[in-house]
Structure formats: structure tokens, C-alpha cells
Amino acid sequence: MKHHDGYALFDTKNMTHRSSVYLNPYRDFLEELMETAKAEKPNLHRWTYYSLPEWYNPHFAPYGFEQWPGGLPHNAFNYSELEPYTDMLNISDYIQDLQYLHMLSLALDYGTEIMWCDIGGPNNTLEFASQYYNNAMENGYHVTMSDRLSPSYSSFQLLDCQVHRLQCGP
């Protein structure tokens, strides 16, 4: 599980160290949650949330779009100064070396049955979906993923409050 700020609640291994495993509190919350759910509620489908872009990851900048440009954040008090991106490791490509590998880890290492991705944008859906769906079939369970990865390979659609003019909470 990772939000747009890039801080993950699972072991991000050598892709990045912006996670609860490498920074305080030094715990793999997702592993604890998945193992507890599997042991205590075996019929509960386990899912993970994963934000495809990261607000300020400089490696995301080549793929940035609209309000998700990527790149280092500006200092709130002096816009000409850039803030560092804590615990980022040197990678060559955001999508191939971080996003795709994170998603594979969530699917294969943590047993995610429902992959709930947010925002959309550039990704390796075809490669991911192939491994995700084939692994599930080989191991005898069903999986699904949201349309934010790709409408062509998803099993469910996320409603957008603005598009559907729904009453959304605060």
C-alpha cells in the first residue's frame, strides 16, 4: 500500500527505502495485516491500494502529467529552493524499476487478490496483468484489478465523483 507521497507500508526492498520497513516505525504493516487476515478471516478477500504516480519523485518527472508532474517539491517558504526526496534509491526508470516491481511484489509476495490502483497514468499493465492473472490461475484463486491500470484488463471500474456528479463526502 502506497499513497501519492511515495511512502509505502510494505517492504520496498531495493527499489526505494521510502517505507515503514526502512523508516519509522520499522515494520511491514502490510505483511502483518495480510497474515492476520489470512489466519483470522480466511474468506476475506485481501486487497491493496497503490498510487501509480508519486507527487515529488524525480524519477516520475519524465512521465508526469497534468496535476501529477513529478519532480522534487519546492520549499513552501522559498519557492526557488527544492526539497530532497527522502530515502530514494538510484534507479534508471520509475515505471520499470519501481512502480512495476512494487506491484509485482504486492501481487506475488503479499498475495493481493484485489489490486486497487489510483490516478492512472503510464504503467506496465500488460506485463503486470500477465504475471498477476497467470500466477492466480496457477495457484487456484481469483484476482481482479481496477480500471485505473487499464480499462482493457480490469475487472471493475472506479467511480469518479466529478465525472458522475455524485455527492461526495468532505
Side-chain angles (χ1 to χ4, degrees), residues 140-167:
Y141 62 95
H142 299 281
V143 295
T144 186
M145 63 183 187
S146 68
D147 65 336
R148 301 280 170 90
L149 275 165
S150 169
S152 302
Y153 301 102
S154 66
S155 317
F156 67 96
Q157 183 178 15
L158 301 174
L159 293 178
D160 185 328
C161 294
Q162 293 175 353
V163 171
H164 297 284
R165 302 192 195 303
L166 299 174
Q167 291 282 336

Side-chain angles (χ1 to χ4, degrees), residues 91-110:
I91 59 173
S92 298
D93 182 74
Y94 176 82
I95 292 175
Q96 194 62 35
D97 300 337
L98 190 131
Q99 181 192 81
Y100 173 63
L101 295 177
H102 274 181
M103 291 172 60
L104 278 180
S105 178
L106 292 171
L108 306 179
D109 300 337
Y110 292 90

